[in-house]
Amino acid sequence: MNTRSENVRNWLRIRIEMLFEEYKYFDYRFPEPQYLGAKHTHLSWINKFIPDEISVVLDAFSGSQSVSFLFKQLGFKTIINDFLNFNNQIGKALIENKSYTLDSNDLAILFQPATNKDDFDLIEKTFTDIFFEREEAIFLDNFRANISLLENEYKKAVAFTVINRSITRKITMGHFGHMQALVYANDPERIRRNRSLIRPIKELLPSYNNAVFDNTNDNRSFNQNILDLLPQLSNIDLAYFDPPYCDSHANYQGFYHLLETYTEYWKDKEFVNGIKRYEPQRYSGFDKKRDVFSSFEKLFELSSEIPYWLISYNNKSYPGIEDFEELILKHRDVTIETKTYQNDRGGKGSVAGSQEILFVCKPRKKYFIPIKSRNN
């Protein structure tokens, strides 16, 4: 090979490496969630509107972590937050975690008979014959007791993530706002259509282990109300806001109360209604009509130093699109992008024909008037 050909080949190789540098983490696949409002089906659409030349991103209402995982894949330093701890554990497992996975020794620990079982009977006492047969509830308590024996917080987070995903997979419709779980679980026709109802937990583990990677940044996962966390943060380039769609989707604490109860293992809560939802619930500020305007005003004020915002929303949410746009325009220039649901995906805000909205918010343009014009 002559020198000129070798130089051309090297130049092409370097150009190709540069072209695909931003996608070098895309071999790691996000385990698909089963979560109302999860954005995993919208990621390529959202990606179109991420501004260039940013390096630090905040996902303020991170939920299933699908958008956070995209940010991590893109190589950004990714700071995430969710006020529900079961979501925070997903963040610790897949975003903050750089290398820890569960191996066969960890599984032996998790599946062994718990030595402190007397302190772990919450699921058996509270949810037997509601969501689980007694044997299943005892297994979940045993598994929960053994999570504390794992060697570090990241292995614990992976364990929480896998078991919580397994719990949702075994409940038809994937949430806990109904009392038909055992009826569905014992229906052969439903099992035939949805084999995941009877698949073992260990089948899920490889997809989560394989999703752990290091994007060379010190990513962080927080478990706070975002209005409390924002004053503690600085030097954020882009904030992604995916708040609860007030009046559009279900109450997440109501639908996913069991996952939070299992993760927190509440000792100081009352369990109410037929589904045994915990009370009192955590304060959000974004899921009740009486609070939502003032909460968004405060959110935008606290985000004044963050140049770019992307805000996921829905055309059936409260406040309406025009009123919400007016709120944003007090702080940023904004364009509105829309994506129409072609099929029902659960929840009032994602039925066929409804629209997913993305508010693309940029710093206000500064207009400069020449000195001569000002004098005139």
Side-chain angles (χ1 to χ4, degrees), residues 133-158:
E133 304 286 357
R134 187 171 301 277
E135 183 180 352
E136 294 173 316
I138 291 172
F139 167 80
L140 289 171
D141 283 324
N142 189 90
F143 191 98
R144 178 64 179 78
N146 289 331
I147 288 178
S148 61
L149 303 179
L150 297 177
E151 66 186 50
N152 64 57
E153 63 178 324
Y154 298 115
K155 284 182 177 285
K156 293 174 184 177
V158 175

mmCIF file of all heavy atoms in Angstrom, residues 133-158:
data_model
loop_
_atom_site.group_PDB
_atom_site.id
_atom_site.type_symbol
_atom_site.label_atom_id
_atom_site.label_comp_id
_atom_site.label_asym_id
_atom_site.label_seq_id
_atom_site.Cartn_x
_atom_site.Cartn_y
_atom_site.Cartn_z
ATOM 1 N N GLU A 133 -50.446 -14.507 45.866
ATOM 2 C CA GLU A 133 -50.702 -15.641 46.735
ATOM 3 C C GLU A 133 -49.730 -15.551 47.918
ATOM 4 O O GLU A 133 -48.676 -14.907 47.819
ATOM 5 C CB GLU A 133 -50.481 -16.950 45.986
ATOM 6 C CG GLU A 133 -51.287 -17.113 44.710
ATOM 7 C CD GLU A 133 -52.764 -17.405 44.964
ATOM 8 O OE1 GLU A 133 -53.145 -17.532 46.156
ATOM 9 O OE2 GLU A 133 -53.520 -17.496 43.980
ATOM 10 N N ARG A 134 -50.066 -16.224 49.021
ATOM 11 C CA ARG A 134 -49.219 -16.107 50.209
ATOM 12 C C ARG A 134 -47.783 -16.539 49.937
ATOM 13 O O ARG A 134 -46.832 -15.891 50.391
ATOM 14 C CB ARG A 134 -49.811 -16.928 51.361
ATOM 15 C CG ARG A 134 -49.061 -16.727 52.691
ATOM 16 C CD ARG A 134 -49.795 -17.384 53.846
ATOM 17 N NE ARG A 134 -51.141 -16.830 53.986
ATOM 18 C CZ ARG A 134 -51.412 -15.688 54.632
ATOM 19 N NH1 ARG A 134 -50.427 -14.990 55.183
ATOM 20 N NH2 ARG A 134 -52.648 -15.265 54.713
ATOM 21 N N GLU A 135 -47.595 -17.596 49.190
ATOM 22 C CA GLU A 135 -46.246 -18.077 48.907
ATOM 23 C C GLU A 135 -45.424 -17.025 48.155
ATOM 24 O O GLU A 135 -44.227 -16.834 48.433
ATOM 25 C CB GLU A 135 -46.319 -19.366 48.095
ATOM 26 C CG GLU A 135 -44.959 -19.987 47.801
ATOM 27 C CD GLU A 135 -45.076 -21.267 46.986
ATOM 28 O OE1 GLU A 135 -46.217 -21.734 46.794
ATOM 29 O OE2 GLU A 135 -44.030 -21.784 46.539
ATOM 30 N N GLU A 136 -46.054 -16.348 47.217
ATOM 31 C CA GLU A 136 -45.360 -15.291 46.468
ATOM 32 C C GLU A 136 -45.002 -14.126 47.386
ATOM 33 O O GLU A 136 -43.901 -13.559 47.288
ATOM 34 C CB GLU A 136 -46.253 -14.789 45.335
ATOM 35 C CG GLU A 136 -46.531 -15.815 44.253
ATOM 36 C CD GLU A 136 -47.559 -15.316 43.255
ATOM 37 O OE1 GLU A 136 -48.583 -14.730 43.665
ATOM 38 O OE2 GLU A 136 -47.328 -15.500 42.047
ATOM 39 N N ALA A 137 -45.929 -13.749 48.267
ATOM 40 C CA ALA A 137 -45.676 -12.641 49.184
ATOM 41 C C ALA A 137 -44.525 -12.965 50.126
ATOM 42 O O ALA A 137 -43.668 -12.108 50.406
ATOM 43 C CB ALA A 137 -46.943 -12.327 49.979
ATOM 44 N N ILE A 138 -44.478 -14.205 50.619
ATOM 45 C CA ILE A 138 -43.377 -14.617 51.499
ATOM 46 C C ILE A 138 -42.050 -14.553 50.753
ATOM 47 O O ILE A 138 -41.038 -14.085 51.294
ATOM 48 C CB ILE A 138 -43.635 -16.041 52.040
ATOM 49 C CG1 ILE A 138 -44.813 -16.022 53.025
ATOM 50 C CG2 ILE A 138 -42.391 -16.609 52.713
ATOM 51 C CD1 ILE A 138 -45.279 -17.393 53.460
ATOM 52 N N PHE A 139 -42.048 -14.992 49.497
ATOM 53 C CA PHE A 139 -40.823 -14.903 48.693
ATOM 54 C C PHE A 139 -40.352 -13.455 48.569
ATOM 55 O O PHE A 139 -39.156 -13.166 48.722
ATOM 56 C CB PHE A 139 -41.060 -15.492 47.303
ATOM 57 C CG PHE A 139 -39.965 -15.148 46.331
ATOM 58 C CD1 PHE A 139 -38.776 -15.845 46.333
ATOM 59 C CD2 PHE A 139 -40.118 -14.088 45.441
ATOM 60 C CE1 PHE A 139 -37.747 -15.496 45.456
ATOM 61 C CE2 PHE A 139 -39.102 -13.747 44.569
ATOM 62 C CZ PHE A 139 -37.905 -14.453 44.568
ATOM 63 N N LEU A 140 -41.273 -12.525 48.296
ATOM 64 C CA LEU A 140 -40.896 -11.119 48.124
ATOM 65 C C LEU A 140 -40.330 -10.539 49.415
ATOM 66 O O LEU A 140 -39.352 -9.778 49.386
ATOM 67 C CB LEU A 140 -42.099 -10.308 47.654
ATOM 68 C CG LEU A 140 -42.553 -10.573 46.212
ATOM 69 C CD1 LEU A 140 -43.876 -9.876 45.932
ATOM 70 C CD2 LEU A 140 -41.494 -10.110 45.225
ATOM 71 N N ASP A 141 -40.926 -10.874 50.544
ATOM 72 C CA ASP A 141 -40.374 -10.416 51.828
ATOM 73 C C ASP A 141 -38.975 -10.977 52.050
ATOM 74 O O ASP A 141 -38.071 -10.264 52.513
ATOM 75 C CB ASP A 141 -41.286 -10.860 52.978
ATOM 76 C CG ASP A 141 -42.538 -10.005 53.115
ATOM 77 O OD1 ASP A 141 -42.448 -8.785 52.886
ATOM 78 O OD2 ASP A 141 -43.598 -10.552 53.460
ATOM 79 N N ASN A 142 -38.779 -12.229 51.726
ATOM 80 C CA ASN A 142 -37.477 -12.867 51.900
ATOM 81 C C ASN A 142 -36.422 -12.194 51.026
ATOM 82 O O ASN A 142 -35.302 -11.890 51.474
ATOM 83 C CB ASN A 142 -37.586 -14.348 51.550
ATOM 84 C CG ASN A 142 -36.340 -15.131 51.916
ATOM 85 O OD1 ASN A 142 -36.219 -15.653 53.019
ATOM 86 N ND2 ASN A 142 -35.402 -15.244 50.995
ATOM 87 N N PHE A 143 -36.765 -11.952 49.762
ATOM 88 C CA PHE A 143 -35.858 -11.282 48.830
ATOM 89 C C PHE A 143 -35.512 -9.889 49.344
ATOM 90 O O PHE A 143 -34.340 -9.480 49.332
ATOM 91 C CB PHE A 143 -36.531 -11.197 47.463
ATOM 92 C CG PHE A 143 -35.631 -10.779 46.340
ATOM 93 C CD1 PHE A 143 -35.063 -11.718 45.504
ATOM 94 C CD2 PHE A 143 -35.378 -9.431 46.092
ATOM 95 C CE1 PHE A 143 -34.244 -11.331 44.444
ATOM 96 C CE2 PHE A 143 -34.569 -9.034 45.046
ATOM 97 C CZ PHE A 143 -33.993 -9.983 44.216
ATOM 98 N N ARG A 144 -36.537 -9.166 49.821
ATOM 99 C CA ARG A 144 -36.321 -7.803 50.338
ATOM 100 C C ARG A 144 -35.390 -7.810 51.543
ATOM 101 O O ARG A 144 -34.526 -6.929 51.677
ATOM 102 C CB ARG A 144 -37.671 -7.178 50.709
ATOM 103 C CG ARG A 144 -37.587 -5.767 51.306
ATOM 104 C CD ARG A 144 -37.039 -4.774 50.317
ATOM 105 N NE ARG A 144 -36.982 -3.436 50.859
ATOM 106 C CZ ARG A 144 -36.057 -2.982 51.696
ATOM 107 N NH1 ARG A 144 -35.066 -3.788 52.087
ATOM 108 N NH2 ARG A 144 -36.075 -1.726 52.122
ATOM 109 N N ALA A 145 -35.527 -8.785 52.426
ATOM 110 C CA ALA A 145 -34.656 -8.879 53.590
ATOM 111 C C ALA A 145 -33.202 -9.086 53.179
ATOM 112 O O ALA A 145 -32.281 -8.530 53.791
ATOM 113 C CB ALA A 145 -35.113 -10.029 54.488
ATOM 114 N N ASN A 146 -32.987 -9.837 52.119
ATOM 115 C CA ASN A 146 -31.619 -10.167 51.704
ATOM 116 C C ASN A 146 -30.946 -9.072 50.895
ATOM 117 O O ASN A 146 -29.719 -9.080 50.752
ATOM 118 C CB ASN A 146 -31.619 -11.474 50.912
ATOM 119 C CG ASN A 146 -31.899 -12.678 51.789
ATOM 120 O OD1 ASN A 146 -31.574 -12.680 52.979
ATOM 121 N ND2 ASN A 146 -32.506 -13.713 51.213
ATOM 122 N N ILE A 147 -31.714 -8.128 50.346
ATOM 123 C CA ILE A 147 -31.086 -7.030 49.598
ATOM 124 C C ILE A 147 -30.081 -6.289 50.472
ATOM 125 O O ILE A 147 -29.006 -5.887 50.004
ATOM 126 C CB ILE A 147 -32.160 -6.062 49.050
ATOM 127 C CG1 ILE A 147 -32.934 -6.717 47.904
ATOM 128 C CG2 ILE A 147 -31.517 -4.757 48.546
ATOM 129 C CD1 ILE A 147 -34.058 -5.864 47.329
ATOM 130 N N SER A 148 -30.391 -6.138 51.742
ATOM 131 C CA SER A 148 -29.492 -5.403 52.647
ATOM 132 C C SER A 148 -28.151 -6.091 52.828
ATOM 133 O O SER A 148 -27.191 -5.484 53.316
ATOM 134 C CB SER A 148 -30.157 -5.199 54.011
ATOM 135 O OG SER A 148 -30.437 -6.456 54.609
ATOM 136 N N LEU A 149 -28.046 -7.366 52.446
ATOM 137 C CA LEU A 149 -26.800 -8.113 52.610
ATOM 138 C C LEU A 149 -25.834 -7.920 51.448
ATOM 139 O O LEU A 149 -24.672 -8.342 51.531
ATOM 140 C CB LEU A 149 -27.098 -9.612 52.761
ATOM 141 C CG LEU A 149 -28.035 -10.000 53.911
ATOM 142 C CD1 LEU A 149 -28.252 -11.507 53.915
ATOM 143 C CD2 LEU A 149 -27.490 -9.519 55.252
ATOM 144 N N LEU A 150 -26.281 -7.305 50.361
ATOM 145 C CA LEU A 150 -25.392 -7.075 49.223
ATOM 146 C C LEU A 150 -24.328 -6.045 49.585
ATOM 147 O O LEU A 150 -24.519 -5.201 50.457
ATOM 148 C CB LEU A 150 -26.193 -6.621 48.011
ATOM 149 C CG LEU A 150 -27.206 -7.647 47.485
ATOM 150 C CD1 LEU A 150 -28.012 -7.065 46.327
ATOM 151 C CD2 LEU A 150 -26.510 -8.943 47.051
ATOM 152 N N GLU A 151 -23.209 -6.078 48.871
ATOM 153 C CA GLU A 151 -22.008 -5.396 49.351
ATOM 154 C C GLU A 151 -21.996 -3.888 49.167
ATOM 155 O O GLU A 151 -21.248 -3.195 49.845
ATOM 156 C CB GLU A 151 -20.769 -5.992 48.687
ATOM 157 C CG GLU A 151 -20.690 -5.756 47.177
ATOM 158 C CD GLU A 151 -19.526 -6.489 46.536
ATOM 159 O OE1 GLU A 151 -19.369 -7.695 46.777
ATOM 160 O OE2 GLU A 151 -18.770 -5.832 45.787
ATOM 161 N N ASN A 152 -22.783 -3.335 48.229
ATOM 162 C CA ASN A 152 -22.760 -1.882 48.048
ATOM 163 C C ASN A 152 -24.095 -1.390 47.508
ATOM 164 O O ASN A 152 -24.959 -2.174 47.105
ATOM 165 C CB ASN A 152 -21.597 -1.438 47.153
ATOM 166 C CG ASN A 152 -21.712 -1.973 45.739
ATOM 167 O OD1 ASN A 152 -22.708 -1.741 45.055
ATOM 168 N ND2 ASN A 152 -20.704 -2.710 45.297
ATOM 169 N N GLU A 153 -24.238 -0.056 47.495
ATOM 170 C CA GLU A 153 -25.521 0.540 47.136
ATOM 171 C C GLU A 153 -25.915 0.273 45.685
ATOM 172 O O GLU A 153 -27.108 0.252 45.349
ATOM 173 C CB GLU A 153 -25.493 2.052 47.385
ATOM 174 C CG GLU A 153 -24.474 2.803 46.545
ATOM 175 C CD GLU A 153 -24.509 4.308 46.786
ATOM 176 O OE1 GLU A 153 -25.622 4.836 46.997
ATOM 177 O OE2 GLU A 153 -23.424 4.931 46.757
ATOM 178 N N TYR A 154 -24.940 0.066 44.800
ATOM 179 C CA TYR A 154 -25.267 -0.135 43.394
ATOM 180 C C TYR A 154 -25.796 -1.548 43.136
ATOM 181 O O TYR A 154 -26.734 -1.724 42.353
ATOM 182 C CB TYR A 154 -24.064 0.184 42.518
ATOM 183 C CG TYR A 154 -23.654 1.631 42.656
ATOM 184 C CD1 TYR A 154 -22.426 1.987 43.215
ATOM 185 C CD2 TYR A 154 -24.519 2.653 42.280
ATOM 186 C CE1 TYR A 154 -22.073 3.322 43.369
ATOM 187 C CE2 TYR A 154 -24.168 3.987 42.436
ATOM 188 C CZ TYR A 154 -22.955 4.314 42.989
ATOM 189 O OH TYR A 154 -22.604 5.634 43.147
ATOM 190 N N LYS A 155 -25.203 -2.538 43.770
ATOM 191 C CA LYS A 155 -25.756 -3.882 43.669
ATOM 192 C C LYS A 155 -27.163 -3.922 44.273
ATOM 193 O O LYS A 155 -28.068 -4.574 43.730
ATOM 194 C CB LYS A 155 -24.845 -4.893 44.364
ATOM 195 C CG LYS A 155 -23.585 -5.256 43.574
ATOM 196 C CD LYS A 155 -22.760 -6.289 44.300
ATOM 197 C CE LYS A 155 -21.540 -6.717 43.501
ATOM 198 N NZ LYS A 155 -21.878 -7.621 42.387
ATOM 199 N N LYS A 156 -27.351 -3.224 45.380
ATOM 200 C CA LYS A 156 -28.684 -3.150 45.979
ATOM 201 C C LYS A 156 -29.665 -2.492 45.021
ATOM 202 O O LYS A 156 -30.814 -2.932 44.877
ATOM 203 C CB LYS A 156 -28.623 -2.375 47.298
ATOM 204 C CG LYS A 156 -27.839 -3.083 48.402
ATOM 205 C CD LYS A 156 -27.700 -2.203 49.640
ATOM 206 C CE LYS A 156 -26.831 -2.883 50.686
ATOM 207 N NZ LYS A 156 -26.614 -2.017 51.870
ATOM 208 N N ALA A 157 -29.216 -1.441 44.354
ATOM 209 C CA ALA A 157 -30.094 -0.735 43.414
ATOM 210 C C ALA A 157 -30.474 -1.628 42.241
ATOM 211 O O ALA A 157 -31.632 -1.616 41.787
ATOM 212 C CB ALA A 157 -29.417 0.543 42.923
ATOM 213 N N VAL A 158 -29.530 -2.406 41.723
ATOM 214 C CA VAL A 158 -29.846 -3.331 40.640
ATOM 215 C C VAL A 158 -30.870 -4.363 41.120
ATOM 216 O O VAL A 158 -31.831 -4.696 40.405
ATOM 217 C CB VAL A 158 -28.575 -4.027 40.108
ATOM 218 C CG1 VAL A 158 -28.954 -5.082 39.063
ATOM 219 C CG2 VAL A 158 -27.613 -3.014 39.497
#
